[in-house]
Amino acid sequence: MANLLVTGAAGFIGANFVYYWLDTYPGDRVIGLDALTYAGNHESIRSAESNPAFRFVHGDIRDQALIEKLLREEKIDTIVHFAAESHVDRSISGPDAFIDTNIGGTHSMLKAARAVWLDGPEGRLPHRFHHVSTDEVYGTLGPNDPPFTESTPYAPNSPYSASKAASDHLVRAYHHTYGLEVTTSNCSNNYGPYQFPEKLIPLVLINILHGKALPIYGDGKQIRDWLYVDDHARGIDLIIKKGRLGETYNIGGHNEWTNIDIVNLICKLMDERFAADLQMKEKYPDAPAARGEKANSLITYVKDRPGHDQRYAIDAAKTTAELAYKPVESFETGIDKTISWYLDNEGWWQRILDGSYQEWIDQQYADRKAS
Ligand code: NAD
Ligand code: TYD
C-alpha cells in the first residue's frame, strides 16, 4: 500500500490522475494538494472526496513547512508533482508566476522531500519523487527532424518551457547531489476531461457551441503530438512502479497533427453531433449548425504567438522498451470521449466562463486580431 501526495490535483492532468489512481489502486491513500489558482478547480475532484482514501488539501507547493507537515502527518512515500503554471500564452504575458511556481515551487517540494525522507529523525525513509514535465523543454523540430528522445538537448523557447526545464534540472540535481530517489516524465500535449478552456481543444469545442471565433495562430501549420490524458497517467504509473531511479522517460502517442487539421476535425465531429441530436440546436442557438452553417465557418486566422514552436513530436521507444508502455486510447476514441464529456458537463465549464477567465481570453483574442 502506498501513500501518495499529488500536487496540482485540482488541475486538468492532476484530477484525471487522482481518479485513475484511486480506481487502479483502491488500497492506496491519495492526498491531493492544490493552491486553486485560476486553473485549479475544486469541483474537478469533488467526486474523489466521497472516497475515504482521498483527502484534498488547499495549499501551496511554495509552502515548504506545509509540505513537510503533510509528508510526516500522512506518511507519504510517493510524490507525484504536477502543480505548475501551465499555459504558454500566459507565460508570455506574465512570466513571473511561472518562475515562482515552476522553479521556486518545485525547489520547495524538493527541499521538503529531502528534509523528511533523507534527513529526518528516523533516517532515510523509503520514497519516490516523480516529477511531471513536458516535451516543450526540448524546443522545436523541423518538419523532417526525428522526434525528441530522452537525450535530445534541452532548448526551451517560452518562459513556460524554460521554467519547466529549470525544474527538471533541479530534480536531477537533487538525485545526483543528495541521493533523492527521483524519476521524471516528459509528455506530449494532453487532451481529455477537465482541461481548462484556454487550451486549444476545449476552447474550440466551447467556442463552436457559442458561435464564437476559432482563433488559429499564424498559419495553423504548427504540429503537436496529442495524447489522451489517461494514457499519460498510465505512463506515470509504469515509471513509478518500474522506472529506474534518476532516469527520465518520454511519454507520447505518435499522434502528430497540425493545429488547423485538428480544428477542422473537431468542427466536423461537432457538425455530426448537431446533425445526430436536433435538441442541440435549441440548446445552443448561436452555434453555426443552428443557423444551417458549418462549424469551420468560425475559423479565424490571428496574429501568431511570439516565439511559437513549430513542431513537437515524442519518441517514446525507451519507455516502451523498458516499461512496456503503450497508449490504450486511439485518437478517434479519445477525441470522441472528450467531446462527450464537454457536452455532458456544461456546468463545469460554464462556471469557469462565468468568472474572470472569459474576460482574459476575449482580451487576448482582441489584441491578436487588432495587431
Ligand atoms: P493545469 O494548469 O490544468 O493544472 C495545474 C494545477 O496546479 C492547477 O490546479 C493549479 O491550481 C495548481 N497550482 C498552480 N500553482 C500552484 C502552487 N503554487 N501550489 C499548488 N498548486 C498550484 O495544468 P495541467 O495541464 O494539468 O498540467 C499539469 C502538469 O503537467 C504541469 O506540470 C505541466 O507542465 C505538465 N504537462 C502538461 C501537459 C499538457 O498538455 N497539459 C503536457 C505535458 C506536461
Ligand atoms: P495549447 O493548447 O496552448 O498548448 P501548447 O502551446 O502547450 O502546445 O496550444 C496548442 C497549439 O494550438 C499551439 O501550437 C498554439 C495553438 N493555438 C491556436 O492556434 N489557437 C488558440 O486559440 C490556442 C489556445 C492555441
Side-chain angles (χ1 to χ4, degrees):
M1 189 189 141
N3 292 331
L4 271 72
L5 174 62
V6 177
T7 70
F12 162 47
I13 309 177
N16 281 284
F17 181 84
V18 164
Y19 289 117
Y20 166 87
W21 201 274
L22 290 170
D23 283 352
T24 312
Y25 302 105
D28 286 358
R29 177 145 173 84
V30 178
I31 309 303
L33 175 85
D34 202 292
L36 298 177
T37 68
Y38 83 94
N41 193 335
H42 198 166
E43 237 184 296
S44 302
I45 42 151
R46 282 258 189 252
S47 320
E49 284 184 300
S50 54
N51 184 336
F54 179 75
R55 173 185 165 202
F56 177 69
V57 177
H58 182 198
D60 198 306
I61 55 166
R62 293 168 298 178
D63 184 348
Q64 188 186 337
L66 169 71
I67 307 299
E68 287 187 28
K69 182 169 161 282
L70 282 174
L71 294 180
R72 290 196 185 94
E73 192 176 277
E74 295 286 354
K75 299 192 173 11
I76 300 292
D77 50 35
T78 308
I79 289 175
V80 190
H81 177 40
F82 291 97
E85 289 292 338
S86 70
H87 191 44
V88 174
D89 290 330
R90 286 182 190 255
S91 83
I92 295 167
S93 53
D96 295 67
F98 288 72
I99 308 304
D100 287 351
T101 292
N102 300 358
I103 306 177
T106 299
H107 191 216
S108 98
M109 291 295 303
L110 289 164
K111 285 192 286 182
R114 180 183 168 211
V116 175
W117 286 342
L118 303 182
D119 298 338
E122 298 154 80
R124 195 181 173 89
L125 298 171
H127 67 272
R128 172 68 69 88
F129 188 112
H130 182 76
H131 177 58
V132 180
S133 191
T134 164
D135 59 359
E136 302 194 24
V137 296
Y138 299 122
T140 185
L141 292 169
N144 300 316
D145 289 340
F148 303 127
T149 69
E150 290 80 355
S151 53
T152 301
Y154 273 30
N157 290 319
S158 70
Y160 163 66
S161 54
S163 66
K164 291 296 292 187
S167 69
D168 296 4
H169 292 323
L170 282 169
V171 171
R172 177 189 159 90
Y174 267 66
H175 175 67
H176 283 270
T177 307
Y178 305 115
L180 194 70
E181 300 189 0
V182 308
T183 41
T184 295
S185 48
N186 295 86
C187 189
S188 57
N189 281 54
N190 285 211
Y191 68 98
Y194 301 111
Q195 187 167 30
F196 194 82
E198 66 188 346
K199 303 278 167 72
L200 183 69
I201 290 181
L203 179 106
V204 166
L205 284 176
I206 293 170
N207 281 12
I208 292 173
L209 296 174
H210 293 156
K212 296 184 83 169
L214 310 180
I216 306 288
Y217 299 171
D219 63 5
K221 300 271 174 59
Q222 304 84 6
I223 292 172
R224 296 292 181 267
D225 186 350
W226 293 93
L227 186 75
Y228 190 68
V229 63
D230 283 355
D231 280 324
H232 188 177
R234 286 182 193 101
I236 293 172
D237 180 358
L238 285 169
I239 296 166
I240 291 172
K241 301 270 180 199
K242 299 189 203 160
R244 286 180 292 134
L245 295 179
E247 289 290 312
T248 64
Y249 292 90
N250 280 353
I251 305 177
H254 297 291
N255 184 36
E256 290 181 54
W257 285 77
T258 63
N259 293 336
I260 187 64
D261 284 349
I262 217 163
V263 171
N264 271 311
L265 172 75
I266 295 169
C267 287
K268 179 174 140 297
L269 295 173
M270 290 298 280
D271 287 341
E272 289 170 8
R273 295 284 180 134
F274 273 93
D277 178 358
L278 296 179
Q279 285 181 345
M280 278 179 64
K281 291 184 186 170
E282 283 166 38
K283 193 167 177 197
Y284 302 106
D286 296 325
R291 305 189 303 267
E293 286 170 21
K294 291 202 173 303
N296 65 8
S297 61
L298 297 171
I299 288 177
T300 307
Y301 287 88
V302 298
K303 188 173 174 245
D304 208 354
R305 171 188 279 173
H308 199 167
D309 284 337
Q310 188 59 32
R311 174 175 167 237
Y312 302 142
I314 275 278
D315 178 346
K318 171 181 170 182
T319 315
T320 304
E322 281 190 26
L323 311 176
Y325 173 71
K326 197 169 166 284
V328 169
E329 211 68 60
S330 72
F331 194 55
E332 288 69 25
T333 57
I335 204 81
D336 195 58
K337 276 189 186 177
T338 304
I339 292 175
S340 295
W341 189 86
Y342 279 88
L343 291 176
D344 293 343
N345 291 277
E346 181 177 342
W348 182 87
W349 51 262
Q350 193 57 55
R351 276 187 280 283
I352 293 172
L353 297 193
D354 290 343
S356 60
Y357 155 74
Q358 190 62 44
E359 276 164 46
W360 187 85
I361 202 85
D362 286 347
Q363 190 56 48
Q364 293 282 308
Y365 178 62
D367 289 350
R368 280 178 199 279
K369 210 173 172 194
S371 47

